[in-house]
Amino acid sequence: MVINDDAPQMQPVRSEMGPAAGSAFRLEAEPNPASSPRLTRRRVLSQGVKASLGVTVLGSWLAACGGAPASTSGPVTIQFAALVDTTGEQTAEIKRFNDLHAGKIHVDYVELPSVATDQYSKFVNAFRAQSPTPDVVQIDVTWPAQFATPGWLAPIDQYVTSSYLNQFWPSARTVGRVNGHLYGIQRYMDIGMLYYRTDLVEKYGGSVPQTREEMQALAERILAGESSHGVSYGYLMPGKKIEAIVDEWLEFLWGAGGSIGEPGKLQVNGPLQVDALQYMHDLIYKFRLAPTGTSTYVPNDILALFSQGKAPFMRNWVFAYAIANTPSRSKVAGKVGVAPTLATSGHSGHGCTGGWVLAINANSQYKDAAWTFIDYMLSKETQTSMALNAGLIPSRPDVVSDASVQAKVPYFKQIGSILNSGQNRPTLKNYNQFTTPLQAAINSVLSNQASPSAALSSVQTQVASLT
Amino acid sequence: MATIGAPLLQTKEGSPRGPLERREERLAWLMLLPVVLALLALGVYPVLSTLWFSFQQGGSFGLGTTSAGLANYLRLLHDDQFWSALRFSLLYSLVTVCGQMICGTALALFANRRFRGRWLARAAILFPWAIPTATNSVIWAYMFNDQYGLVNSLLEHLGLMNPAHPIVWLGSAQLATLLIYVLAIWKANSLVALLVLAGLQGIPEEVYEAARVDGASRWQILWRVTLPLLRPVLLVTLILRTIESLQAFDLISAFTNGGPGNATQNLGLYIYLQIQQFGDFGYGSTIAVVLTAITLVFIVLYMRTLLRTGTR
Amino acid sequence: MALAPTTTAPATESSRQAARPRGPLLKLKPLTRQTLLYLVLAVIIVVQFLPLIWALLTSLMTPQETTAVPVPLWPAHPTVSSYSEALQGDIGRYYLNSIIASLVSTLVTMFLATLAAYAFARLRFRWKRLILLFVVSLSLFPPFSQVIPLYMVLQSLHLIGSLLALIIPYSVFGLPMAILILMAFLQEVPFEYEEAAALDGLSRLGAFVRIVLPMIIPGLFTTAVIVFVGDWNEYLFALNYTTTATYTLPVGIVILSQTEFTTNFGVLSAAMVMSVVPLVALILLLERRIVSGLTAGGLKG
């Protein structure tokens, strides 16, 4: 906001909308440096006092400077809210779209803090207040059910045909399906993977481990042989009280052929469930392959250890790949491979899927323009650019399998099969009520404060009937 | 002396009589009006809405709720997580507010001395409190990371820790709780110190002179002169610290997120969980109302104490 | 702990400001006492500044160094890349937003709170306790229960996403605390001063402005600092009621330093240093210039 000696200047961002579009108006710094903010104490005080006097004064002030409804001929401006992207790729994509649709549609990028719970709060606030903005939202894969059930997202069935949908990975096109309607399509994929040191696995004669036992045996051999070379741990996993530990537990469960059942009759304390958690506990306290500090680690922490060559194996998300293979940030660059997460013998590993979904605010006044933008973001061209410049996994198999893309991102050769074996977390409108007690239970086991069966049983009654 | 105006709590209420008193009353209302209006305009609705929701249930994020009567309050009785969060909050408040009051007052007394380099002491007072709480907690969590944290690195360099067995500072309930206490005291003793320092500056030098003439020792001056004169400031500091400590959120959420398990989950985190994450406005608001009531009890107790000791 | 050192001279301004400790009451020799004093100062500085020192060092490290095991105690290859990264982001805008939001709300809060605090502390009127209880009780409700109702209010005023969406709540929600603090400082002022003023023919308001206010300038300044820093560091409202153009520093630091899975401790530290050091320096400077100057003037007059 600028407090000039002149009347405060407001720029209607969505010029075609009247003053009723509350969130549309932003007081912005005047871009022209010639009229840079002049802040005198007296001025600020008088404006501030005015501002605090209450609704009436405020209302009239705003009406005075909010401006009359502007002409309706200008371009439609839509807001796209998504977490911050430090690579600059997202901004570039939006700029290309704006150039492409100059004069018709303009996309405003609202960057959100990357803390998922912060984004969640901001979305809930806007949706709950029936705000028409943001128009396009990028939401976590566990959110479509949470946001679509109360009617906060607009169905996009009318925009998509089945052949259009078939361009995407199966989980990318089903993740937005809630109560028979489609509410969003995934923009980029994420999945839990087993990271391994290609050099160490080769040196100690093993093939890439697929089962818990194979990993253990190999890790112990490597640990014995390489401890003088800085390898201090066998297996790294996140363990702090965050979403990732639920996903990791699900992966151990799925890899043993188990499942937590369907919404409405979820089961988290069956024998396989307890066994999966027991195994995570044993990795730390019995086999001593994982660090004792595991219960305090987020994915970033274990990546730091892995990048310094402290361990041959790590369970982590996709983001770790690019960093672990960047020579300036990693001592093991070029020696990192990925594989499906661990299974028990006779079963296969299933990574837990993640990633972000594009959807439309149910109260958006420009749903068609919003879809045009989503369509652009999901196009082969944009997704190719995203894969190459931001290191994210496109939701389109045709980009992942593209030879020219694979030449630049070699691990895309393996990621296809890993993604195909991936599994989604349960689609629950009360997902947070499911994951929060589980996070606490799993974390209390990993910090050696509770037994797996007791911890999971205490959660069972809370989550059993969630839908 | 008491005719013009006595300390707040000793003032007799009741309608003033003469024209002078009526003018005084008019002036008082004029001075209060903006504040009362501002609070009515903005502060009252959220509070009423919280109270109302505490008698509602169901729905999602406060939409489509139905009347619950006292069901939410009864639910509290059987909610183990509520009781453990309540216990954590009360202990946290007790320990950290005491710590802050003691450390902060000591800091202020020190910084009030005149010596070369005093500005360093003042900067030292300001600094911890000037960092955004959440950022501060991230830095502390970084410092206490068992692998790449400063503290373990220092211990290792000093030969006090075997790097093969790093100390996992935030991995056990006891250590994590202790560190939260330390962090909270460190973070907010500044606020106490600032207030006490300003209070000390308001004490006229003559008072100390008189005490010294009477032959009082420094210790006696501290207990018999300085602290009693600081009583209003100390009371208000105590009240403010109590309110904030009972509502603490940023500090803990960015440090341990309530872990390990739920060992460091306080009422602030639990309310956040219910309201912002679960969308259970009914139950979250109920806990908020209970927390408010508890805070109010504390404050009334403090004020009573002041009232009794204040009228010597 | 120690008291202010003794002076035999009368308590004039010059002796208040003198930096010469003269203490006949001491049992220790002056030199030992000095050493002790600076020893305490050193301990205080280390304890209070440790995270800042560590943030300074971290901000000069390479990303790899910041998470090395064990972490180096000194940057081997000092680099300012974290600072340039933070500056490349929008830290300038976050700064400006923080300054405007905090400054305006502090001024509003202080103006309103000073008036109200004087009424509560000094004037007699009906329903005083009731009104005070009303004011204080509004600060007792945990902020989380208020975020969404307040969002609805601000939305209906079309303010979400503007800086006013921060300025207005900050100004109002800072009131109870500011009033309580100011009341405490006002209670320290002896009533005799106002009695004297009344005899001199000053009105109550005149006595308040010309006699009482100058006497509590350290208190006013401290209250303003507390209110200002509180607004400066506020996260909850700043997160929920803002958008890209109006993010303040606490939210901005998160945006600059964290991605979905990674935390860049170098940038985090650099942003923190850039947020805190100017703030503390400014407060100290103002304290020296304004408070001591005005206090001296006020007491003389």
Side-chain angles (χ1 to χ4, degrees):
Chain A
M1 188 183 77
V2 177
I3 297 170
N4 282 331
D5 282 348
D6 319 316
Q9 309 217 341
M10 287 185 71
Q11 299 184 323
V13 175
R14 299 153 60 99
S15 51
E16 67 292 328
M17 294 186 60
S23 65
F25 290 97
R26 281 194 255 121
L27 293 151
E28 283 184 333
E30 184 67 47
N32 181 1
S35 62
S36 61
R38 273 169 295 165
L39 275 170
T40 68
R41 207 178 132 157
R42 181 180 51 80
R43 193 70 203 171
V44 169
L45 182 64
S46 70
Q47 292 289 4
V49 171
K50 245 197 243 172
S52 71
L53 276 180
V55 180
T56 43
V57 175
L58 246 177
S60 58
W61 185 33
L62 274 162
C65 54
S71 66
T72 49
S73 60
V76 168
T77 298
I78 58 173
Q79 280 187 15
F80 169 51
L83 71 137
V84 63
D85 158 44
T86 48
T87 64
E89 165 64 13
Q90 194 149 275
T91 319
E93 287 172 12
I94 292 167
K95 189 176 178 308
R96 282 201 297 277
F97 177 88
N98 285 339
D99 292 345
L100 221 67
H101 296 81
K104 284 179 250 143
I105 307 173
H106 182 86
V107 173
D108 240 356
Y109 172 31
V110 178
E111 60 179 358
L112 302 178
S114 47
V115 180
T117 48
D118 285 355
Q119 294 170 50
Y120 186 83
S121 293
K122 277 184 86 80
F123 284 136
V124 166
N125 288 338
F127 289 147
R128 202 186 166 281
Q130 312 215 310
S131 166
T133 56
D135 301 272
V136 180
V137 292
Q138 178 175 301
I139 56 180
D140 184 85
V141 289
T142 59
W143 296 349
Q146 302 183 53
F147 291 162
T149 313
W152 291 342
L153 297 180
I156 55 169
D157 302 289
Q158 72 265 35
Y159 298 116
V160 296
T161 59
S162 59
S163 64
Y164 181 86
L165 273 181
N166 282 336
Q167 304 175 93
F168 302 94
W169 297 108
S171 71
R173 57 180 188 248
T174 54
V175 71
R177 190 163 288 286
V178 182
N179 301 328
H181 288 286
L182 188 66
Y183 290 95
I185 299 173
Q186 197 157 349
R187 177 176 165 219
Y188 57 87
M189 316 294 290
D190 204 346
I191 190 161
M193 302 190 288
L194 177 72
Y195 284 75
Y196 63 93
R197 284 277 298 282
T198 48
D199 55 334
L200 294 180
V201 167
E202 192 176 330
K203 183 174 170 187
Y204 288 84
S207 54
V208 180
Q210 293 177 350
T211 65
R212 299 177 186 177
E213 292 75 22
E214 287 168 19
M215 186 280 292
Q216 264 170 259
L218 195 51
E220 269 157 20
R221 278 209 301 281
I222 294 171
L223 204 50
E226 297 287 319
S227 58
S228 55
H229 297 97
V231 175
S232 346
Y233 307 109
Y235 183 85
L236 300 170
M237 57 184 176
K240 199 181 173 180
K241 195 178 146 193
I242 53 171
E243 175 68 21
I245 61 175
V246 174
D247 308 344
E248 198 176 275
W249 168 72
L250 285 172
E251 284 163 2
F252 279 117
L253 173 63
W254 293 333
S259 113
I260 55 165
E262 293 301 308
K265 39 185 190 294
L266 295 168
Q267 203 199 1
V268 297
N269 64 342
L272 283 175
Q273 283 85 331
V274 173
D275 175 69
L277 187 51
Q278 182 68 53
Y279 185 70
M280 291 165 75
H281 177 271
D282 289 349
L283 280 171
I284 307 171
Y285 298 101
K286 190 172 163 195
F287 311 130
R288 300 192 181 276
L289 290 175
T292 45
T294 295
S295 66
T296 64
Y297 297 158
V298 295
N300 194 38
D301 296 329
I302 54 171
L303 173 58
L305 292 178
F306 187 80
S307 301
Q308 287 168 63
K310 295 276 178 196
F313 299 110
M314 165 177 77
R315 183 275 176 203
N316 217 327
W317 299 107
V318 166
F319 83 97
Y321 189 85
I323 298 172
N325 276 309
T326 306
S328 66
R329 300 178 70 179
S330 165
K331 288 180 187 161
V332 298
K335 302 174 192 163
V336 179
V338 289
T341 49
L342 297 172
T344 55
S345 53
H347 297 282
S348 59
H350 302 280
C352 179
T353 56
W356 295 82
V357 176
L358 295 175
I360 301 175
N361 179 351
N363 284 302
S364 164
Q365 313 217 340
Y366 306 105
K367 296 199 180 69
D368 291 348
W371 171 256
T372 310
F373 177 65
I374 291 179
D375 184 40
Y376 162 84
M377 292 299 268
L378 296 175
S379 69
K380 187 172 183 192
E381 200 186 348
T382 312
Q383 293 240 312
T384 305
S385 166
M386 179 189 79
L388 295 180
N389 300 317
L392 301 170
I393 301 181
S395 52
R396 300 173 67 108
D398 56 350
V399 176
V400 172
S401 59
D402 188 292
S404 65
V405 173
Q406 285 192 350
K408 289 176 184 134
V409 194
Y411 84 109
F412 274 14
K413 288 179 190 128
Q414 289 106 291
I415 202 76
S417 67
I418 296 177
L419 277 175
N420 274 328
S421 65
Q423 287 196 18
N424 292 351
R425 283 163 273 178
T427 304
L428 298 169
K429 73 167 193 277
N430 293 316
Y431 185 78
N432 288 346
Q433 280 93 319
F434 164 79
T435 185
T436 308
L438 264 178
Q439 287 173 26
I442 296 170
N443 179 257
S444 67
V445 170
L446 297 187
S447 55
N448 217 7
Q449 319 228 331
S451 78
S453 61
L456 290 175
S457 296
S458 72
V459 175
Q460 176 61 28
T461 49
Q462 294 177 59
V463 302
S465 58
L466 290 176
T467 54
Chain B
M1 161 167 169
T3 46
I4 288 193
L8 157 80
L9 292 158
Q10 290 153 259
T11 312
K12 288 257 184 345
E13 295 195 36
S15 52
R17 296 278 172 252
L20 219 77
E21 282 86 349
R22 239 177 276 139
R23 242 171 58 200
E24 187 173 329
E25 170 141 11
R26 232 184 0 254
L27 179 66
W29 277 106
L30 220 62
M31 294 174 101
L32 281 175
L33 200 64
V35 167
V36 172
L37 282 182
L39 289 174
L40 280 175
L42 212 62
V44 171
Y45 171 66
V47 163
L48 288 182
S49 132
T50 304
L51 279 172
W52 184 76
F53 274 123
S54 76
F55 298 103
Q56 296 282 306
Q57 64 187 2
S60 170
F61 289 96
L63 303 170
T65 56
T66 53
S67 175
L70 288 172
N72 288 326
Y73 290 89
L74 295 174
R75 182 175 157 195
L76 284 176
L77 298 176
H78 309 287
D79 182 355
D80 294 343
Q81 265 199 69
F82 165 74
W83 290 105
S84 81
L86 176 65
R87 202 179 56 230
F88 186 90
S89 278
L90 292 178
L91 262 176
Y92 171 87
S93 180
L94 197 75
V95 173
T96 63
V97 173
C98 278
Q100 288 158 6
M101 294 298 290
I102 294 168
C103 295
T105 309
L107 262 178
L109 288 169
F110 180 79
N112 195 42
R113 304 171 64 116
R114 275 157 235 139
F115 56 92
R116 215 175 270 274
R118 182 170 68 160
W119 68 274
L120 263 172
R122 303 227 166 178
I125 285 182
L126 278 170
F127 172 71
W129 175 66
I131 319 172
T133 312
T135 312
N136 184 49
S137 290
V138 176
I139 293 274
W140 273 64
Y142 173 46
M143 285 168 44
F144 282 96
N145 183 293
D146 71 322
Q147 295 284 347
Y148 53 69
L150 168 70
V151 176
N152 275 1
S153 175
L154 275 174
L155 290 177
E156 194 183 326
H157 278 91
L158 293 171
L160 295 173
M161 189 194 80
N162 176 359
H165 302 285
I167 301 172
V168 184
W169 293 97
L170 298 176
S172 83
Q174 295 77 12
L175 261 184
T177 308
L178 190 71
L179 282 180
I180 287 177
Y181 289 164
V182 173
L183 170 57
I185 293 172
W186 178 86
K187 181 82 175 75
N189 65 23
S190 305
L191 190 97
V192 178
L194 273 175
L195 285 164
V196 172
L197 200 54
L200 284 171
Q201 284 165 346
I203 299 176
E205 190 70 16
E206 293 90 335
V207 178
Y208 296 125
E209 296 289 322
R212 275 184 221 110
V213 168
D214 290 350
S217 73
R218 298 168 55 138
W219 195 245
Q220 283 171 323
I221 293 179
L222 173 65
W223 282 102
R224 303 259 176 84
V225 179
T226 315
L227 291 182
L229 281 172
L230 284 175
R231 191 186 287 122
V233 172
L234 288 175
L235 175 82
V236 84
T237 312
L238 187 66
I239 291 175
L240 293 176
R241 289 317 312 152
T242 303
I243 296 176
E244 210 188 302
S245 67
L246 287 171
Q247 293 177 353
F249 173 80
D250 287 358
L251 185 137
I252 298 173
S253 93
F255 197 44
T256 65
N257 194 20
N262 285 326
T264 60
Q265 176 170 272
N266 72 347
L267 284 179
L269 262 78
Y270 199 43
I271 292 170
Y272 166 80
L273 211 59
Q274 295 292 341
I275 290 184
Q276 299 269 349
Q277 292 293 306
F278 296 174
D280 191 344
F281 272 38
Y283 196 50
S285 300
T286 307
I287 304 167
V289 170
V290 170
L291 178 56
T292 306
I294 291 169
T295 319
L296 198 63
V297 168
F298 270 101
I299 288 174
V300 169
L301 277 177
Y302 293 154
M303 286 194 154
R304 281 270 164 86
T305 314
L306 171 91
L307 184 63
R308 208 176 45 241
T309 52
T311 51
R312 276 168 292 169
Chain C
M1 278 275 322
L3 272 174
T6 56
T7 48
T8 43
T12 61
E13 250 330 289
S14 58
S15 78
R16 273 172 173 260
Q17 301 219 312
R20 293 163 280 140
R22 292 177 269 159
L25 280 180
L26 298 164
K27 292 174 192 96
L28 292 166
K29 280 182 186 164
L31 191 70
T32 336
R33 194 177 143 270
Q34 282 279 341
T35 321
L36 203 69
L37 190 142
Y38 285 103
L39 210 67
V40 174
L41 181 65
V43 171
I44 288 176
I45 285 171
V46 167
V47 170
Q48 298 287 96
F49 277 101
L50 188 64
L52 176 69
I53 297 167
W54 182 234
L56 260 171
L57 292 173
T58 310
S59 69
L60 298 172
M61 290 180 188
T62 61
Q64 219 180 345
E65 276 178 312
T66 60
T67 52
V69 181
V71 74
L73 299 179
W74 197 261
H77 315 284
T79 165
V80 291
S81 65
S82 293
Y83 287 91
S84 54
E85 205 172 312
L87 288 169
Q88 263 169 23
D90 278 325
I91 199 167
R93 187 154 39 102
Y94 305 143
Y95 235 105
L96 190 67
N97 288 336
S98 275
I99 290 172
I100 295 172
S102 315
L103 198 64
V104 177
S105 358
T106 303
L107 292 173
V108 177
T109 304
M110 287 304 293
F111 180 70
L112 299 181
T114 310
L115 291 178
Y118 182 77
F120 280 129
R122 283 297 212 250
L123 302 178
R124 283 184 302 167
F125 56 96
R126 276 169 290 181
W127 307 317
K128 179 193 273 191
R129 286 189 196 185
L130 205 67
I131 297 168
L132 185 65
L133 191 70
F134 163 75
V135 169
V136 173
S137 63
L138 286 184
S139 70
L140 303 184
F141 277 77
F144 283 115
S145 62
Q146 311 198 19
V147 171
I148 288 183
L150 198 56
Y151 188 99
M152 307 303 281
V153 174
L154 294 167
Q155 164 91 353
S156 69
L157 297 170
H158 312 311
L159 292 180
I160 294 299
S162 80
L163 271 183
L164 277 177
L166 295 183
I167 292 172
I168 295 173
Y170 287 177
S171 302
V172 176
F173 286 83
L175 284 172
M177 179 181 74
I179 291 173
L180 279 180
I181 298 176
L182 287 171
M183 278 171 65
F185 289 128
L186 283 166
Q187 283 169 17
E188 276 197 345
V189 180
F191 299 105
E192 286 86 345
Y193 288 89
E194 280 154 290
E195 283 175 337
L199 289 178
D200 285 352
L202 274 178
S203 68
R204 289 307 296 263
L205 199 62
F208 165 59
V209 174
R210 293 177 53 187
I211 307 291
V212 178
L213 275 189
M215 293 188 71
I216 60 158
I217 278 176
L220 280 174
F221 182 77
T222 302
T223 315
V225 165
I226 288 170
V227 171
F228 183 88
V229 177
D231 294 344
W232 182 270
N233 289 340
E234 202 279 338
Y235 190 80
L236 190 64
F237 293 168
L239 169 73
N240 283 298
Y241 304 153
T242 53
T243 181
T244 316
T246 51
Y247 287 142
T248 54
L249 269 173
V251 182
I253 291 176
V254 175
I255 289 183
L256 286 173
S257 63
Q258 292 185 31
T259 67
E260 188 183 359
F261 294 116
T262 63
T263 301
N264 188 331
F265 291 110
V267 175
L268 176 80
S269 303
M272 189 192 101
V273 170
M274 283 192 276
S275 156
V276 171
V277 171
L279 180 67
V280 171
L282 185 77
I283 294 173
L284 287 177
L285 201 75
L286 284 178
E287 190 187 30
R288 270 197 163 165
R289 287 283 163 85
I290 297 179
V291 175
S292 46
L294 285 182
T295 313
L299 285 182
K300 270 174 210 150

